Amino acid sequence: MNGGVCGSRTHCQCPAGFTGRLCQYTSQQSQQAQAAWGHCYYKIPPSVKPGGLVWLTLCFSVQINVRVHHNTDTSVVIHPLDQSDITIPSKTVTRMMTQRHKPKGRCFQETTPKQACNSTPLPVLTNQEDCCGSVGNSWGQNKCYQCPKLPNASVKHTIVEDYGSTCPQGYKRFNSTHCQDINECTMQGVCQNGQCMNTLGSFRCSCKHGLVLDRNRCVGEQPAEYAQCYSIAPLDGRCGGRVLGYLTQELCCCTVGKAWGKNCERCPAEDTAAFQKICPGGKGYFFQKVRNTFAFPPLVFPSPEKGYNKPGKLATAYHLTDVCKTSRYICGHGECESTASGHTCHCNPGYRLHAHRNIYEDECASEPCGAGRGTCVNTDGAYQCHCHHGYKPMVNHGRLKCVDVNECSKQDVCGPGGRCVNLPGSYKCECHKGFKAHRTQTCEDVNECADPNACPGEQCENRPGSYECVRCRPGHEARGGTCYDVDECQKAGVCLNGRCENFPGTFRCLCDEGFLPSADSKFCRDIDECEDDRLCANGHCVNTEGSFHCRCYEGYQRTQEGSHCEDVNECERASICHRGRCINSMGSFRCECQKGYRLDGGRRCLDIDECLEDRNLCKPFGLCKNRPGSYVCECNYGFILSEDKHSCEMVAVEQEEKKECYLNLDDTVFCDSVLATNVSKQECCCSIGVGWGDHCEIYPCPVYHSSEFGSLCPVGRGFYHEEGTTEYGLSLHRDIDECVLFSNEICKEGRCVNTQPGYECYCQQGFYYDSNLLECIGVDECQDPSNCKNGHCVDTPGSYYCICSPPWTLATDRNSCVTPEEQADRTAAHKDVCFRQLDEDLICSMPHNDLVVTYSACCCHYGRGWGPECRTCPPRNSGDSSEEDSDECSCANGRCVRSYLGTMCECNPGFRLDSTRTRCIDINECAEPGVRSNPCKNARCVNTKGSFSCICKPGFGPTRRPNMCMRTKFQ
């Protein structure tokens, strides 16, 4: 009371300001009561039957607020009593429970299929008996184990022998003979956010307003969803029998509904877990939460000595010890009172005293719900009626019974075609003529028109309880009592030259292009398009079935849409007027030839040979040459073309002076910097020369972009202008070919390519072009520290090589030196191509294309030469089978180098390997083919061993530049 929470069967956990076993006293009243009375006593007589009165003796009057939770089929009556009936017992007995020390672990309320425990146990540790006997499914300390299944106590027993050695669900062992109720309300985590009330074998969780119960805890209440309810179960995905208004799923499926929701979700079948979840009260009932608070005067129950019989004492203790203290639960569902002779058990309401144990009375034994009308379920101190279909629970004379439901009280139960007759637990429909009973216990109309012979040749129209035959409308025919439209478009010959479109009772023709429908639109007739004089201009119109075509006159053709004739543009044809201009006209064309041509056959222009027709052309200082459409004069020497190019005129030819061209004007070297001799000033200064003269008398070239340079080189650098020479009225100029004019002076050791204007010099690999020296300079690869590691690098023109000092040897990459051990590791298993034949010139041939082996395997088993360097194998039967050459290294004009291919020669500059690659021979630089035809300038080349020398020609002398001779000055 007063907001207290049940802590055990006989004690309450009171809020602040209240005290007492039922929290019925305020703290001040409790102090006054203790001073006046000392203690209070509560007693419930065991003789009270279910439905009778219950006595509660209080110390004095107290205002009590009581909240009653009950089902809708249960009535609650509260009787106030006079305070004069209060009696005070002689003493108070206090009992203590024996403490038991049992291991504690975690208690899990849910069990998943693959693992015994989930991840949300109760927040406190419990022992296995409390966990598995109450709300737990699994329990454990380090590991969790699934709880064993316990029997359900249909009748609340307390003696172990009825269940073997295991107490039923909701109980735990008290001693060897009794089981005691487990107080689930003391377990933290049970009934969260709600008020827990312990019951025998279970507990009850009351949620606050706005919360609902979900698996032993109170959660936020979700708003109820309302949707359409259907009274006919879905067939082929469709529902029938819409119920007026929108209902919740519980109200729909627990009453008349068979399906619910926008997706026509079928209601769960009765006697299933899903049905019990949404309809806990059974068919015809739905759960509704009712919260009311009642305030009433103090409850003071009289002593059994006034107006009521004393409860009997049937059990007596046999020992002088205080049995109630040592065996607290000896009475089971009742209160134990110690007496001088032993003890007495006072049973709780709904229980009676038994000779051996305390059991409650089974009200269902007398079938209070009615035989055949429902099932009685006995509960603690009461019972419930689960009524069969057609019955409903009702309290009659203070007793709950199942009474018949009069279905016929509802309007139109059987429909307009029948009469409802009520039966016990059901009803039946007596249908009128023309109606028949439906499986939904309604009378529905008999559709006589379903019989195809009901109206032969006519349409059958059904009426409630009868039918009527009606003739079909025009364009329709009856089949099986139904009028169907006659599709005239299916008949042959309908709507020729058109498309038939059917309508109910008729049709029409949609004519093709070139046809018109008749007045009734039942056929199509041809249109004579040739009656329109505007068609087929420049031609003749010919009518056809549904269309027409134009026969065009010569020189005309039909237009793209074919309604007229248009002119043919013959000038669009290729070569219609060969070498002439085509002029189109309506229906024809003509050709006009250009000047110098004449028309031949009306479609071809032939060239006129002016030189043949007039033999005096270009005379007397030239020769006439015919050209397509004209002629030109080739003038004799000393004559040039006139401005009209049809005669030759004599001009004064000025001989241009030619001298030497110099590269620079430095006093110390300018005499040695001759680029070319016998060149004009234009050829020198308009190209790359900086001075022009003779015998070291140099005239500087004009500065670039100056007026003198523009006068000398009017076209610009790289071009030569010919004075007095014109072509088509423009001055002639030609490109200066520097590669021919200056020979190899501007691209030494490279390949010169002339461009307009200028030139380009392409160097070989390993060289770069120096624009100051005008030659290809070799790249010194030895400056790169990554080349020739552990060895000495020797630079050569365009390349380099490495010299390794013993015991170092040249590595396989020919770019570093390695130790013999390292080389052995690298080359021991080196494999390469093997050649089967070795020619007289020691050239390998006929390789094994599919064979890659080591040197020793090649020489011993397969061939005569090995590797890309064609390392020759030792002669057969020479006794040399190793991979090292037995011959001593002999490299005249070179040096011996050891590599992974064996011992080979690296030649000195001026020498190269012969075809056998075993000796070095001299290079004849004077006869070496290449870009330079002669390495000596103005001199004769003489080959020497490993090099060459230049002998100057007469009139020339040596200069400081190598391999070049200059003209000597006259003395």
Side-chain angles (χ1 to χ4, degrees):
M1 298 179 180
N2 298 313
V5 179
C6 181
S8 65
R9 186 184 299 110
T10 58
H11 289 83
C12 295
Q13 296 178 2
C14 301
F18 294 91
T19 185
R21 291 180 59 187
L22 302 179
C23 303
Q24 74 275 25
Y25 302 123
T26 62
S27 300
Q28 183 178 3
Q29 292 172 337
S30 176
Q31 296 174 2
Q32 294 174 357
Q34 291 178 1
W37 303 92
H39 56 270
C40 295
Y41 175 68
Y42 310 92
K43 180 169 64 177
I44 300 176
S47 60
V48 177
K49 302 296 183 179
L53 296 176
V54 178
W55 294 271
L56 175 62
T57 303
L58 303 177
C59 298
F60 44 82
S61 176
V62 180
Q63 182 70 27
I64 301 174
N65 294 328
V66 179
R67 177 176 294 173
V68 181
H69 295 271
H70 63 92
N71 296 331
T72 56
D73 58 348
T74 303
S75 60
V76 177
V77 180
I78 301 175
H79 299 277
L81 297 179
D82 193 349
Q83 296 185 9
S84 61
D85 294 332
I86 299 176
T87 58
I88 301 174
S90 57
K91 64 175 182 177
T92 301
V93 180
T94 303
R95 293 173 288 178
M96 301 296 293
M97 181 179 289
T98 306
Q99 297 293 330
R100 302 173 184 267
H101 298 281
K102 296 181 179 180
K104 294 187 177 183
R106 293 193 175 273
C107 184
F108 299 88
Q109 297 185 71
E110 297 180 5
T111 303
T112 58
K114 294 185 178 180
Q115 59 182 10
C117 306
N118 68 350
S119 59
T120 56
L122 291 181
V124 295
L125 300 178
T126 62
N127 57 55
Q128 184 177 11
E129 190 176 20
D130 288 344
C131 173
C132 295
S134 57
V135 297
N137 282 340
S138 300
W139 178 90
Q141 294 175 325
N142 298 326
K143 297 182 179 179
C144 60
Y145 302 94
Q146 193 166 1
C147 292
K149 291 186 177 180
L150 300 178
N152 293 322
S154 58
V155 179
K156 300 297 187 294
H157 296 277
T158 57
I159 296 183
V160 178
E161 284 77 7
D162 291 344
Y163 296 94
S165 60
T166 304
C167 292
Q169 186 71 31
Y171 292 84
K172 65 180 179 179
R173 184 182 300 176
F174 174 69
N175 53 27
S176 60
T177 59
H178 288 79
C179 295
Q180 68 177 20
D181 171 63
I182 298 176
N183 187 3
E184 294 85 356
C185 295
T186 60
M187 301 174 66
Q188 188 175 354
V190 177
C191 194
Q192 292 182 356
N193 304 321
Q195 291 184 352
C196 180
M197 180 180 296
N198 186 51
T199 60
L200 291 176
S202 183
F203 68 98
R204 183 176 302 163
C205 187
S206 299
C207 298
K208 299 178 182 179
H209 181 69
L211 302 179
V212 293
L213 189 63
D214 181 21
R215 288 185 291 184
N216 299 332
R217 63 176 181 174
C218 296
V219 296
E221 185 174 7
Q222 299 295 330
E225 181 181 359
Y226 289 84
Q228 183 64 52
C229 182
Y230 302 92
S231 61
I232 300 177
L235 296 175
D236 300 331
R238 293 185 175 181
C239 288
R242 289 175 176 264
V243 178
L244 184 63
Y246 289 92
L247 306 176
T248 63
Q249 186 182 17
E250 292 81 1
L251 185 57
C252 174
C253 295
C254 296
T255 55
V256 297
K258 300 297 183 181
W260 176 84
K262 61 181 180 180
N263 296 327
C264 190
E265 179 182 352
R266 183 186 290 269
C267 291
E270 295 187 40
D271 299 331
T272 62
F275 181 81
Q276 291 294 331
K277 181 177 180 181
I278 64 175
C279 305
K283 193 69 173 178
Y285 297 90
F286 69 95
F287 184 73
Q288 182 178 5
K289 298 181 179 65
V290 178
R291 297 176 180 271
N292 293 314
T293 302
F294 298 95
F296 48 89
L299 297 181
V300 181
F301 298 102
S303 172
E305 297 177 356
K306 295 184 179 182
Y308 298 98
N309 295 326
K310 263 190 169 183
K313 299 181 181 179
L314 300 180
T316 306
Y318 295 98
H319 302 282
L320 297 178
T321 59
D322 190 349
V323 180
C324 294
K325 184 174 182 180
T326 57
S327 300
R328 183 177 179 181
Y329 296 97
I330 191 171
C331 292
H333 297 280
E335 292 289 337
C336 178
E337 181 181 0
S338 298
T339 62
S341 59
H343 71 283
T344 301
C345 291
H346 302 281
C347 300
N348 295 335
Y351 294 84
R352 58 184 174 84
L353 196 61
H354 192 268
H356 299 286
R357 59 183 177 267
N358 206 5
I359 63 173
Y360 66 91
E361 183 179 4
D362 187 3
E363 293 90 346
C364 294
S366 60
E367 294 188 357
C369 299
R373 297 186 177 184
T375 303
C376 178
V377 178
N378 192 41
T379 60
D380 290 346
Y383 67 96
Q384 293 179 354
C385 289
H386 293 177
C387 298
H388 297 162
H389 184 72
Y391 294 91
K392 63 180 180 179
M394 181 178 293
V395 178
N396 189 9
H397 301 291
R399 299 288 290 178
L400 182 63
K401 295 182 179 181
C402 292
V403 298
D404 175 54
V405 178
N406 186 7
E407 295 84 357
C408 295
S409 61
K410 298 180 182 179
Q411 189 176 2
D412 293 335
V413 174
C414 296
R419 182 176 65 88
C420 177
V421 178
N422 187 50
L423 298 175
S426 182
Y427 70 98
K428 70 176 182 178
C429 293
E430 294 181 353
C431 299
H432 304 321
K433 183 180 179 181
F435 294 86
K436 64 178 180 179
H438 191 259
R439 57 185 177 182
T440 58
Q441 292 188 352
T442 58
C443 292
E444 63 179 11
D445 175 55
V446 176
N447 187 9
E448 294 84 357
C449 294
D451 184 3
N453 300 320
C455 294
E458 293 182 324
Q459 178 176 347
C460 179
E461 294 184 359
N462 188 47
R463 300 286 187 268
S466 182
Y467 69 100
E468 182 180 355
C469 295
V470 181
R471 288 188 178 185
C472 295
R473 292 177 296 174
H476 294 77
E477 62 182 3
R479 294 195 301 271
T482 304
C483 291
Y484 296 95
D485 172 60
V486 177
D487 190 357
E488 295 85 358
C489 296
Q490 300 297 327
K491 298 179 181 179
V494 177
C495 293
L496 295 176
N497 301 316
R499 179 172 59 85
C500 179
E501 186 175 12
N502 186 57
F503 291 98
T506 184
F507 73 99
R508 71 174 180 179
C509 293
L510 302 176
C511 300
D512 298 335
E513 186 178 0
F515 295 88
L516 284 176
S518 60
D520 57 357
S521 298
K522 301 301 181 185
F523 63 92
C524 299
R525 61 181 179 84
D526 176 56
I527 301 173
D528 187 1
E529 294 85 358
C530 293
E531 293 179 355
D532 188 353
D533 297 336
R534 296 172 297 177
L535 295 177
C536 296
N538 302 314
H540 175 65
C541 178
V542 177
N543 186 53
T544 60
E545 184 75 10
S547 184
F548 73 98
H549 71 270
C550 296
R551 293 178 182 175
C552 298
Y553 302 143
E554 185 178 1
Y556 295 89
Q557 63 183 2
R558 285 194 296 270
T559 58
Q560 188 173 3
E561 66 274 8
S563 61
H564 295 85
C565 295
E566 62 181 1
D567 173 59
V568 177
N569 188 1
E570 295 86 355
C571 295
E572 294 179 348
R573 301 174 186 173
S575 303
I576 188 67
C577 290
H578 184 63
R579 292 184 178 178
R581 184 169 67 92
C582 177
I583 300 175
N584 186 55
S585 61
M586 292 299 294
S588 184
F589 72 99
R590 62 187 177 89
C591 291
E592 288 186 355
C593 296
Q594 299 177 3
K595 184 180 179 180
Y597 293 86
R598 66 171 178 269
L599 189 63
D600 181 28
R603 292 192 175 185
R604 183 173 61 173
C605 293
L606 297 179
D607 174 56
I608 299 174
D609 190 350
E610 294 86 357
C611 298
L612 184 62
E613 292 185 355
D614 186 358
R615 296 184 180 273
N616 292 322
L617 294 176
C618 301
K619 296 292 181 68
F621 304 112
L623 181 65
C624 179
K625 293 291 185 181
N626 187 53
R627 295 288 184 269
S630 183
Y631 70 96
V632 294
C633 293
E634 293 183 356
C635 299
N636 298 334
Y637 181 78
F639 295 87
I640 62 173
L641 282 173
S642 60
E643 291 184 2
D644 61 359
K645 297 185 182 297
H646 291 162
S647 63
C648 295
E649 299 177 350
M650 184 172 62
V651 295
V653 179
E654 195 174 309
Q655 188 70 30
E656 194 171 14
E657 187 179 10
K658 295 191 177 183
K659 295 183 180 182
E660 295 177 339
C661 184
Y662 294 89
L663 179 63
N664 57 63
L665 299 178
D666 189 351
D667 293 339
T668 58
V669 296
F670 71 90
C671 288
D672 296 337
S673 61
V674 178
L675 289 174
T677 59
N678 196 28
V679 296
S680 66
K681 186 176 182 179
Q682 255 193 33
E683 290 174 326
C684 176
C685 295
C686 293
S687 57
I688 63 174
V690 297
W692 180 77
D694 194 12
H695 305 296
C696 294
E697 294 180 1
I698 302 176
Y699 301 95
C701 290
V703 179
Y704 187 57
H705 288 316
S706 64
S707 59
E708 292 82 1
F709 182 85
S711 176
L712 181 66
C713 310
V715 184
R717 179 166 289 176
F719 293 96
Y720 176 79
H721 176 67
E722 296 183 2
E723 290 289 343
T725 305
T726 60
E727 184 175 353
Y728 300 104
L730 301 174
S731 299
L732 289 178
H733 63 274
R734 60 181 176 85
D735 173 66
I736 299 174
D737 191 345
E738 292 85 355
C739 295
V740 175
L741 185 64
F742 303 118
S743 186
N744 65 333
E745 292 298 325
I746 59 174
C747 188
K748 302 181 184 68
E749 304 297 336
R751 183 168 63 89
C752 183
V753 177
N754 184 58
T755 60
Q756 290 190 11
Y759 69 97
E760 291 182 355
C761 183
Y762 294 94
C763 299
Q764 299 179 1
Q765 185 176 3
F767 291 82
Y768 70 94
Y769 182 69
D770 191 329
S771 58
N772 293 324
L773 298 178
L774 303 181
E775 63 179 336
C776 293
I777 306 298
V779 178
D780 189 0
E781 292 85 355
C782 294
Q783 297 297 325
D784 188 353
S786 62
N787 293 333
C788 295
K789 289 183 179 180
N790 303 321
H792 175 64
C793 178
V794 179
D795 184 53
T796 61
S799 184
Y800 70 100
Y801 63 87
C802 298
I803 300 177
C804 300
S805 302
W808 299 85
T809 59
L810 190 65
T812 55
D813 59 359
R814 304 178 65 83
N815 194 34
S816 61
C817 299
V818 295
T819 61
E821 293 79 8
E822 186 178 359
Q823 181 71 358
D825 294 340
R826 293 186 181 183
T827 61
H830 181 75
K831 296 181 180 181
D832 218 319
V833 65
C834 183
F835 296 93
R836 285 179 276 190
Q837 187 172 342
L838 192 67
D839 299 340
E840 294 180 358
D841 295 332
L842 300 179
I843 297 176
C844 293
S845 61
M846 297 181 65
H848 287 278
N849 294 328
D850 56 346
L851 186 65
V852 178
V853 295
T854 61
Y855 173 76
S856 60
C858 175
C859 295
C860 296
H861 303 287
Y862 303 106
R864 301 286 184 177
W866 178 81
E869 303 292 337
C870 188
R871 182 182 178 187
T872 59
C873 293
R876 296 298 175 94
N877 302 322
S878 65
D880 186 3
S881 60
S882 66
E883 293 192 13
E884 294 290 338
D885 237 339
S886 59
D887 298 335
E888 292 184 0
C889 181
S890 175
C891 290
N893 302 316
R895 64 198 57 78
C896 185
V897 177
R898 290 185 295 171
S899 70
Y900 76 101
L901 296 174
T903 304
M904 58 184 298
C905 291
E906 290 281 354
C907 297
N908 297 331
F911 296 88
R912 64 183 169 201
L913 289 173
D914 63 355
S915 58
T916 64
R917 307 186 70 84
T918 58
R919 60 193 181 94
C920 296
I921 60 175
D922 175 57
I923 299 174
N924 187 359
E925 292 85 357
C926 298
E928 186 73 9
V931 179
R932 298 183 304 172
S933 58
N934 188 353
C936 298
K937 181 67 174 178
N938 300 321
R940 181 171 58 88
C941 179
V942 177
N943 185 54
T944 60
K945 189 174 182 179
S947 184
F948 69 96
S949 63
C950 294
I951 300 176
C952 296
K953 295 179 181 180
F956 292 85
T959 63
R960 285 177 291 181
R961 295 186 64 181
N963 307 327
M964 183 176 179
C965 297
M966 294 293 297
R967 189 187 300 273
T968 58
K969 294 183 179 181
F970 295 101
Q971 301 293 333

